[in-house]
Amino acid sequence: MAKKETAIGTNTREILEDIPAALAARFLDKVIQAVEGEDTVQRFNNGATDPEARLSLEQFQSLGPELLSEIEAQSQRVTEMGETKGAQSLKTVIIEAASNEECRQFEDQLDDICRSCWAFIELPLAFQNAESFHHARKDRDRGNIHSAFGLDQDESVPATAEKVNVVALTAKLDRVLGLGKAPTLSAINLPETDKYPASVMLIVRHGADLSSVYEHREDGSRHPHYFRPQDEIVLIYTPRNRLIEVVASSFGQRHDVSNAFAEIVLGRNISEKPLSEKVYDLRRFATSFKLEVPDIEGVDVQSAVVTECELLLGSYGRRASLKVTRDDDIDEMLKRYLSGAHRFRGPSGVHRVAISVEYHREGDKRARSLNITVRGTNGSNVLSHKDRATRELGASLLEAWGITRKLRPLGAEETGDMLRPLMRLFDLGETVVTGLRLAELELSVDTLLDARLIYQKKRQSLTLIDDDHDDVVEADASTVTRQPDYSARDYTEFTVVEGWLRETLAKSLAGNLSAKKFQKISDDLVRVGDIVSVNGTVPIYLARGLWEPNVIFSLEEQLRTRESAGDGIVLCAGPEAPRFLANNVAIPVGDVWNGNADPPGLSPDHLLDRFNSERRLIAQTTMARVVRSGNHSGSFVMPEKDTLPLSTRIQLDFFEKLADAYNAGTPEVHTGVLIEGTMARTPREIFTGKMRERVFGTYVQKGSKNGMWRLSD
């Protein structure tokens, strides 16, 4: 029988083929020791010194698939930082972070991939910093994790890594981010390159939400290990461009970190003039490049025309550019000379435009010109102009044309005023919604866009329309008005930024709690904080989707794994809640939210009263009963049994009939009575999946005669 070939990944093979045996052996032994422990015997370091020598594939035959998978993952990091752009990022960071001797050894390596491998082994922190820098540059066009904050000031404020007050900035970030444990900061100077001016980079590393894994023991038991995965925030400040760029998964974190940096490092008075993010939206050019001449106070704008455009041909790697004179119609030129690329012109296709503006200042007859360039969602030359009046004119023009949008998190009062519709949006659990759907929820599209709670999808649904030649063609639904009473925006699709929406709601709910502990447990459950009771603390959670039996079952499992935190309160985003989830009290947010308070929020006393009254109801239950919390939600309660959440009127009626019969001393009920008014043929069809197994395994059993059912004792 042929021997099974060892599965070696492509990046591992690149390490073996391109890196000398001695260096590759050190890399492999380092990876294996990280997995199996520092005391692991070196397997590959055989003392080879010939730069032409390479490790052989036969040496991998004894390695298991899990170890090979980890070697491949680390090899991918090395090969990525050994490629052109990765190598540039690595060299930039090494020059700033390493000693002269380390820089010499780095340069002495054979080529870029060898330098990457050497840095991975010898300078792991510098290698990690270089990765962060490399990925931050790559993520500049990803608006959902990248934010750019312009500094509208006359003079650029210089800053270097040496001038960053790490102690003061660490303390500030610890307060504003609410991390609980101070983050670790790394400041690095980034020299000027052909593409980017000189900058300073700040990397903020901190522990993410508490997580845990179970370790299998030899006796069959399991032991939990609690840890916090590492998360990081990367900030790049470019003085010449008066620009702060931040890469992080949370918009709130990007906003807080940029303001903290501006206050501590740049000396900006944030209380009077907080930073606001500006993004650029080129979707208005999806159908036409024509620009109207706006009215700007103190300026007489003569004309404004688009003279350059760049279209993405399906990806960032493929682009088509067109440059014309002011006298040309760029729309006509695009159709004539780039007709093939014209079909990519939809809302996500226009990536860059250059606008030529001619104007006069009030009281000055001299003609002036201004060139404005906008690239993607975060790039513009407006703030690069030295003259403040020119910068203000450029910013005013972009705002008048609807190209600029100022972003900022919702304030506490704004969130409070919008809490109910925002909760309905969160409870839907939909990742994509239309403008029409948001209007039905009484939410403003512009407000949500400005708060980064939604963003417009790049790829919209297609519809069929008649073009100018009466031919049926495909068109982007977001650019077509299909009915007189609706706008194109009603049919535009928006992506909900679930993480930021979840965090915004949780922080709003936690405003008046004694302890704020934001922690995402799952997509449907988040820890909000604690309130204090006479018996200790009561954890507060926020849950959604409690109209789905599968979600309820999943939430109960998640809550039972957190029993060490004690019985708590589950605030439900929807209008109804099942009263009890596991050992926790479930309450709709709308029942305990005080929108008339100043500021609006939860009342800890009200929450505690509700919690205690519901717990007393359980303790004083002496017979089977159904406790409703609405027309479609409630819980079945019975002595010596766990509470059972119910999510439909049919389920509530089913258990009420069984409970009434049980309490009357004639516990058996006929099938026809139980399924009356339903489409079910048997009682089992009233429930589905795991809920059915739970109901008929613990709470309901067959009676003494065929067709009879009763509650289990």
Side-chain angles (χ1 to χ4, degrees):
M1 185 175 178
K3 189 175 181 180
K4 186 177 180 180
E5 184 179 352
T6 304
I8 300 177
T10 55
N11 293 285
T12 305
R13 289 179 182 272
E14 189 172 346
I15 295 288
L16 299 180
E17 294 170 359
D18 296 346
I19 297 180
L23 185 59
R26 292 174 58 202
F27 164 75
L28 294 169
D29 285 330
K30 181 181 178 69
V31 175
I32 293 173
Q33 287 175 351
V35 176
E36 298 183 346
E38 295 293 336
D39 298 332
T40 304
V41 177
Q42 294 182 344
R43 304 188 188 187
F44 293 93
N45 197 348
N46 56 12
T49 58
D50 184 1
E52 299 298 325
R54 297 292 185 268
L55 295 179
S56 64
L57 293 177
E58 286 73 17
Q59 294 175 266
F60 284 75
Q61 297 298 331
S62 61
L63 302 182
E66 292 180 345
L67 198 54
L68 287 175
S69 177
E70 181 61 21
I71 291 174
E72 172 65 14
Q74 300 306 317
S75 297
Q76 184 177 6
R77 296 176 61 195
V78 171
T79 56
E80 183 178 6
M81 298 306 293
E83 295 172 351
T84 305
K85 292 185 178 181
Q88 293 174 354
S89 300
L90 181 61
K91 186 175 182 179
T92 299
V93 172
I94 292 294
I95 291 174
E96 291 295 326
S99 65
N100 291 336
E101 176 60 24
E102 289 169 335
C103 288
R104 185 190 64 77
Q105 294 183 43
F106 175 77
E107 292 294 342
D108 286 345
Q109 303 304 310
L110 293 178
D111 52 22
D112 286 339
I113 193 171
C114 291
R115 294 185 185 96
S116 176
C117 187
W118 182 89
F120 178 91
I121 299 168
E122 300 293 341
L123 302 171
L125 181 58
F127 184 89
Q128 187 179 353
N129 288 343
E131 285 183 303
S132 300
F133 172 44
H134 176 58
H135 293 144
R137 288 300 193 198
K138 288 173 61 178
D139 291 335
R140 293 178 78 249
D141 292 319
R142 296 175 61 188
N144 55 334
I145 64 170
H146 175 277
S147 294
F149 301 87
L151 298 172
D152 188 10
Q153 51 195 27
D154 293 333
E155 298 293 334
S156 61
V157 180
T160 62
E162 294 75 22
K163 293 184 179 180
V164 174
N165 189 334
V166 175
V167 176
L169 186 55
T170 300
K172 178 71 174 181
L173 291 175
D174 190 23
R175 290 196 303 273
V176 298
L177 297 177
L179 299 174
K181 187 176 181 180
T184 302
L185 272 61
S186 299
I188 302 170
N189 291 316
L190 303 178
E192 183 175 359
T193 65
D194 294 338
K195 191 174 182 180
Y196 299 105
S199 308
V200 59
M201 177 174 67
L202 184 75
I203 303 174
V204 183
R205 294 192 174 96
H206 63 90
D209 293 338
L210 188 66
S211 186
S212 65
V213 294
Y214 282 109
E215 177 191 5
H216 172 71
R217 297 293 181 86
E218 292 183 359
D219 60 357
S221 63
R222 62 182 185 179
H223 178 71
H225 287 281
Y226 294 92
F227 65 97
R228 291 188 181 275
Q230 188 181 80
D231 200 359
E232 70 177 24
I233 305 166
V234 179
L235 179 148
I236 299 177
Y237 169 56
T238 308
R240 184 192 301 177
N241 295 342
R242 301 176 177 87
L243 189 68
I244 297 176
E245 298 173 277
V246 188
V247 176
S249 57
S250 166
F251 175 54
Q253 287 184 339
R254 299 197 293 270
H255 185 271
D256 292 339
V257 169
S258 63
N259 277 278
F261 181 87
E263 178 181 353
I264 301 299
V265 180
L266 306 182
R268 186 184 180 98
N269 189 337
I270 296 300
S271 60
E272 293 183 0
K273 199 173 184 181
L275 297 181
S276 62
E277 179 186 5
K278 291 183 179 180
V279 297
Y280 303 102
D281 187 355
L282 299 177
R283 299 176 193 274
R284 65 159 294 151
F285 299 116
T287 56
S288 173
F289 285 108
K290 294 189 184 318
L291 292 170
E292 66 277 8
V293 176
D295 292 328
I296 306 294
E297 185 178 356
V299 178
D300 179 18
V301 180
Q302 301 294 312
S303 65
V305 295
V306 176
T307 57
E308 294 182 47
C309 70
E310 182 179 86
L311 305 181
L312 297 180
L313 306 182
S315 70
Y316 285 102
R318 299 186 183 92
R319 310 181 188 190
S321 300
L322 178 65
K323 183 176 181 179
V324 300
T325 68
R326 286 184 52 85
D327 298 328
D328 293 322
D329 185 335
I330 193 169
D331 286 304
E332 289 298 323
M333 292 296 177
L334 184 64
K335 292 178 182 178
R336 182 184 304 175
Y337 297 109
L338 292 176
S339 58
H342 186 265
R343 67 189 182 91
F344 291 95
R345 184 179 167 170
S348 61
V350 181
H351 182 62
R352 178 181 175 275
V353 296
I355 304 170
S356 176
V357 181
E358 291 187 346
Y359 67 98
H360 295 278
R361 292 198 181 277
E362 193 175 70
D364 186 357
K365 296 183 178 180
R366 182 165 63 94
R368 299 172 183 262
S369 63
L370 171 65
N371 291 320
I372 301 175
T373 301
V374 180
R375 176 182 175 275
T377 58
N378 296 296
S380 175
N381 67 339
V382 168
L383 290 178
S384 300
H385 293 284
K386 294 182 179 181
D387 179 50
R388 184 180 183 86
T390 303
R391 294 200 304 271
E392 291 178 347
L393 173 60
S396 298
L397 288 171
L398 292 179
E399 288 183 14
W401 290 324
I403 296 175
T404 299
R405 180 178 294 277
K406 291 184 178 180
L407 305 182
R408 62 175 180 82
L410 293 176
E413 292 188 3
E414 291 175 298
T415 307
D417 294 339
M418 298 170 58
L419 189 86
R420 294 179 189 275
L422 286 176
M423 281 292 177
R424 291 199 295 270
L425 176 63
F426 179 64
D427 192 49
L428 284 177
E430 297 178 2
T431 57
V432 177
V433 293
T434 63
L436 196 59
R437 183 63 162 150
L438 293 173
E440 291 173 354
L441 296 174
E442 299 179 348
L443 288 169
S444 165
V445 170
D446 288 327
T447 301
L448 297 182
L449 287 171
D450 291 346
R452 274 284 177 101
L453 293 171
I454 62 172
Y455 61 88
Q456 187 169 329
K457 279 184 63 181
K458 290 186 177 180
R459 295 183 181 274
Q460 295 284 324
S461 299
L462 296 177
T463 186
L464 298 178
I465 63 170
D466 295 328
D467 65 7
D468 297 337
H469 305 289
D470 291 331
D471 295 326
V472 178
V473 297
E474 289 184 343
D476 194 311
S478 65
T479 64
V480 179
T481 303
R482 287 181 270 189
Q483 296 183 29
D485 296 335
Y486 297 95
S487 66
R489 174 169 275 192
D490 289 331
Y491 298 101
T492 302
E493 294 176 328
F494 300 92
T495 298
V496 179
V497 186
E498 281 195 341
W500 179 227
L501 175 61
R502 184 184 295 108
E503 185 177 342
T504 299
L505 293 174
K507 288 184 176 180
S508 179
L509 294 176
N512 296 332
L513 303 184
S514 56
K516 303 171 180 60
K517 296 181 180 179
F518 173 75
Q519 180 186 0
K520 178 188 173 184
I521 301 170
S522 70
D523 289 342
D524 301 315
L525 184 66
V526 59
R527 176 82 173 269
V528 174
D530 298 331
I531 58 174
V532 178
S533 70
V534 293
N535 297 320
T537 59
V538 178
I540 309 297
Y541 304 94
L542 172 64
R544 71 175 181 185
L546 290 167
W547 38 272
E548 292 190 52
N550 290 339
V551 173
I552 292 176
F553 191 88
S554 176
L555 290 174
E556 284 202 302
E557 287 185 329
Q558 294 165 19
L559 290 167
R560 286 195 178 94
T561 63
R562 308 179 65 83
E563 288 180 348
S564 59
D567 298 343
I569 298 174
V570 180
L571 298 173
C572 306
E576 295 186 6
R579 294 286 287 266
F580 300 100
L581 283 172
N583 294 322
N584 300 270
V585 174
I587 309 171
V589 171
D591 289 0
V592 291
W593 179 259
N594 186 357
N596 297 322
D598 187 21
L602 299 173
S603 168
D605 292 337
H606 190 183
L607 282 174
L608 195 57
D609 290 343
R610 184 74 174 266
F611 176 74
N612 290 331
S613 65
E614 296 288 74
R615 297 301 298 167
R616 282 194 299 269
L617 184 150
I618 294 293
Q620 296 171 3
T621 295
T622 58
M623 61 180 64
R625 61 181 296 194
V626 171
V627 287
R628 293 177 178 254
S629 61
N631 294 328
H632 304 282
S633 293
S635 291
F636 173 67
V637 182
M638 189 174 181
E640 300 182 3
K641 287 188 182 294
D642 292 336
T643 57
L644 179 68
L646 306 171
S647 57
T648 68
R649 181 188 59 79
I650 294 174
Q651 293 177 4
L652 294 170
D653 292 343
F654 174 84
F655 270 97
E656 279 186 338
K657 294 171 183 176
L658 288 172
D660 290 344
Y662 185 87
N663 296 331
T666 54
E668 296 189 0
V669 183
H670 193 270
T671 295
V673 176
L674 294 175
I675 65 174
E676 183 181 0
T678 74
M679 299 295 291
R681 293 171 297 178
T682 68
R684 295 180 64 87
E685 292 184 2
I686 293 176
F687 304 90
T688 59
K690 294 181 178 179
M691 185 66 170
R692 178 188 295 166
E693 296 176 9
R694 184 178 179 188
V695 168
F696 293 96
T698 306
Y699 298 90
V700 180
Q701 66 183 44
K702 289 185 176 181
S704 58
K705 298 180 181 179
N706 288 336
M708 304 298 287
W709 298 85
R710 59 165 293 166
L711 292 177
S712 301
D713 291 323

